[in-house]
Amino acid sequence: MSADIAVLGAGMHPWGKWGRSFVEYGRAAAKTALADAGLEWTDVRSVVGADTVRSGYPGYVAGATFAQALGWQGARVTSVYAACASGAQAIGAARAQILAGLAEVVLVVGADAAPKGFFAPAGGERPDDPDWLRFRVLGATNPAYFALYARRRMALYGDALEDFAEVKVKNAAAGALNPYARYRKTVTAQEVASSAVVADPLRLLDICATSDGGAALVLTSMEFARSHGVADPVRIRAVSTVTPTYPRTLLDLPDIATDAVTASAPAGGPFRASIARAAYEEAGLGPEDLSLAEVYDLSTALELQWYEDIGLCGEGEGAKLVREGATALGGRIPVNTSGGLASFGEAVPAQAIAQVCELTWQLRGRAGERQVPGARAGITANQGLFGHGSAVVAVR
Amino acid sequence: MERNRTPVVSGWFTGTEEDGDFRLLGTRCSACAAVFFPREDAYCRNPHCPGGGELAQTPLSPRGRVWSYTDGRYRPPAPYVSDPDAPWEPYTLIAVELEAEGMVVLGQGAPGVTVADLAVGMEVEVIGGVLNEDAGTVWTTWRFRPVEPAGVTA
Ligand SMILES: [Zn+2]
């Protein structure tokens, strides 16, 4: 039995700081994806929006907001939110509708208009919200958590600041070749080293920025793709949206503490690894089958962690992989061929969709100077606040 | 004028910085022994809990080992309270794996403790401290500091 769905169209609005509404970015991305698919908006029978919670009510109901901006045409609507994993949830919802026979053609859209500086929690006095508490009680920003992970890698595995910098250098080199990236300049290790320390040991250029941007996909049943004249489309073979298992012992944003191990011992490995494992199991393939991967490099050090979590190498071997050049363009298993968050900056609800756009272009052989020769399979991996797993496997 | 000393979150710790018996407070499920911090008073979150237990307040281990650490070189956004007119003084953040519970708890370092004083695996203890003060209130919190005097174990 095939549980594949087809990616008929992929589109993005360039990342940047454009100062306009997220709706414009999402609409532009949707139009581009529809044109890429050779379809009209009126052909779409279901629209799934990844929510933009920083943009008020229109953002909370992003599916309807995008549908209205494209012109009401009666399509089924879904709006989903899972922080950084919102895009994968949107793809997962679309896929379920297609596989259930509820819709043949589904448009998935995510877009963000990001504020300047640190992400801050919603306002007011809200001591029941762990996200509010970590700022009030600890001043623990997102980069603070990234820095905790980075320092621990240095202590456990001997990672060096130079290894972290190498990730930035690699991703900036790829991003320089991507017209949708916000930062399109190559970066040297020296430039990373001389950027200001934000949260020891991470420097400004180790940490991703926040951006405006929009991404969209046109997803269809395999039958529809064939009837539309696309015999061999890029296929989504797995969408992993798993949660952690108790007790969760790895400190995660926005938590102030992990679970205790007094009732039961941790089992099944860390959460991030379980996200990829579920995707591989569903897709019936493994890391050895990958041509490329797009992972969530919120920080340079976190990219090394993902290498291990998606099985590209053993625990503690991530730095060795980047040092060898294995994950650079032209390497054995290129990671973040798009340039990653390092080159894009995070546009939260759009980012997991953008990852799949990159896989789509790579698997079609249309990624230009970034092309991984003969790409046949790729994975995206990402994690949303409060325990939302996100991984997509696409094949050709 | 005497100002109120008020915990920044009520029920999360007991004792003061002076009396030397400062402890973080969690809750413990009597049915499965799961411990929760921040305290969970409504329900047990262990999916394998047999149920029927009660959540009772329990003091957490006063000591643990450094899981990781960092600092904040830039002023965090509200609701963190800081004087916008004063120069920013970085604070240290320490993630500590508590001895008995095996849980990792985040806290600020005690005044004067910098990242240069810390190492992963180092033993630290919890003490009381002041987060910020305003016109009517001294807001108290928890802090971590090395058990050995700073610098000695390095
Ligand atoms: Zn229990």
Side-chain angles (χ1 to χ4, degrees):
Chain A
M1 185 205 88
S2 164
D4 288 356
I5 60 166
V7 183
L8 226 51
M12 284 164 64
H13 180 288
W15 263 232
K17 284 278 188 188
W18 309 109
R20 300 200 303 276
S21 159
F22 77 96
V23 186
E24 281 190 49
Y25 312 139
R27 187 179 184 279
K31 286 284 197 185
T32 309
L34 285 164
D36 184 44
L39 291 172
E40 300 295 326
W41 158 236
T42 44
D43 297 325
V44 171
R45 297 321 304 149
S46 170
V47 57
V48 184
D51 291 347
T52 309
V53 300
R54 272 188 303 276
S55 295
Y57 226 109
Y60 304 158
V61 293
T65 298
F66 294 131
Q68 183 190 37
L70 289 157
W72 295 122
Q73 46 90 327
R76 175 193 297 266
V77 65
T78 309
S79 299
V80 299
Y81 184 68
C84 304
S86 299
Q89 294 266 323
I91 294 166
R95 175 176 177 254
Q97 291 176 5
I98 292 166
L99 293 179
L102 298 175
E104 288 257 84
V105 181
V106 184
L107 174 68
V108 172
V109 192
D112 206 0
K116 203 173 150 55
F118 291 124
F119 277 162
E125 189 85 5
R126 294 178 303 104
D128 292 334
D129 176 355
D131 194 46
W132 185 88
L133 280 171
R134 58 142 168 163
F135 281 97
R136 170 66 184 105
V137 180
L138 301 168
T141 60
N142 289 3
Y145 285 82
F146 309 153
L148 291 169
Y149 307 143
R151 172 59 66 185
R152 184 153 174 91
R153 288 192 63 85
M154 293 172 78
L156 254 55
Y157 310 133
D159 287 12
L161 294 176
E162 292 72 23
D163 300 324
F164 301 156
E166 192 52 39
V167 174
K168 176 69 177 187
V169 171
K170 170 186 78 70
N171 287 350
L177 305 175
N178 190 340
Y180 292 106
R182 174 175 170 191
Y183 303 104
R184 300 201 54 203
K185 275 172 50 191
T186 56
V187 171
T188 66
Q190 183 54 44
E191 285 171 311
V192 181
S194 56
S195 65
V197 175
V198 173
D200 178 273
L202 296 180
R203 282 80 48 99
L204 188 64
L205 292 184
D206 285 305
I207 297 165
C208 88
T210 62
S211 293
D212 296 357
L217 293 166
V218 177
L219 305 176
T220 75
S221 66
M222 290 301 293
E223 295 70 26
F224 182 93
R226 286 191 194 101
S227 72
H228 190 65
V230 185
D232 184 25
V234 171
R235 300 138 204 243
I236 289 179
R237 185 152 284 177
V239 180
S240 164
T241 54
V242 295
T243 50
T245 55
Y246 182 89
R248 188 181 185 189
T249 54
L250 184 62
L251 186 69
D252 192 21
L253 282 84
D255 293 334
I256 286 175
T258 68
D259 292 328
V261 297
T262 46
S264 50
F271 176 45
R272 270 192 303 270
S274 76
I275 297 169
R277 193 166 58 239
Y280 289 137
E281 277 171 17
E282 193 170 285
L285 50 75
E288 65 283 359
D289 300 311
L290 297 177
S291 313
L292 76 153
E294 286 280 308
V295 303
Y296 226 59
D297 57 319
L298 291 163
S299 82
T300 51
L302 199 59
E303 177 166 320
L304 301 181
Q305 189 75 48
W306 277 116
Y307 294 172
E308 298 159 22
D309 291 328
I310 67 172
L312 302 185
C313 60
E315 184 187 334
E317 295 173 356
K320 183 166 170 277
L321 221 53
V322 78
R323 267 183 236 137
E324 291 169 353
T327 55
L329 285 175
R332 176 167 62 79
I333 171 70
V335 176
N336 285 337
T337 58
S338 66
L341 292 171
S343 302
F344 275 74
E346 190 183 18
V348 176
Q351 211 69 46
I353 300 170
Q355 290 182 316
V356 177
C357 288
E358 177 68 10
L359 289 194
T360 301
W361 294 324
Q362 288 284 355
L363 294 170
R364 284 178 180 171
R366 304 260 176 83
E369 293 177 275
R370 309 190 310 284
Q371 184 63 45
V372 176
R376 301 298 298 175
I379 191 171
T380 70
N382 161 18
Q383 179 186 358
L385 244 64
F386 293 100
H388 284 97
S390 157
V392 174
V393 173
V395 300
R396 183 71 185 271
Chain B
M1 189 185 79
E2 184 67 13
R3 288 180 293 181
N4 286 324
R5 292 182 70 86
T6 307
V8 63
V9 189
S10 96
W12 281 20
F13 50 83
T14 181
T16 66
E17 49 192 318
E18 290 83 20
D19 69 12
D21 194 23
F22 184 94
R23 298 287 284 270
L24 289 170
L25 295 176
T27 54
R28 185 178 184 279
C29 173
S30 62
C32 74
V35 172
F36 300 101
F37 180 84
R39 57 186 304 143
E40 181 55 74
D41 290 289
Y43 41 77
C44 176
R45 288 193 272 111
N46 174 7
H48 307 295
C49 178
E54 287 183 357
L55 289 158
Q57 179 169 297
T58 183
L60 303 183
S61 301
R63 290 189 176 192
R65 293 196 177 273
V66 173
W67 185 84
S68 193
Y69 56 93
T70 183
D71 59 11
R73 302 286 179 96
Y74 293 86
R75 195 186 302 276
Y80 192 75
V81 179
S82 66
D83 177 359
D85 298 323
W88 174 245
E89 289 291 336
Y91 55 83
T92 304
L93 272 178
I94 313 178
V96 176
E97 186 171 345
L98 296 182
E99 217 161 40
E101 296 81 4
M103 64 172 18
V104 174
V105 176
L106 206 49
Q108 288 191 348
V113 175
T114 73
V115 292
D117 302 318
L118 297 167
V120 170
M122 176 186 279
E123 191 171 27
V124 293
E125 63 186 350
V126 69
I127 58 166
V130 172
L131 182 62
N132 68 290
E133 307 181 22
D134 54 35
T137 309
V138 176
W139 297 98
T140 60
T141 188
W142 71 95
R143 308 264 198 205
F144 292 114
R145 72 173 175 204
V147 171
E148 299 296 322
V152 172
T153 52

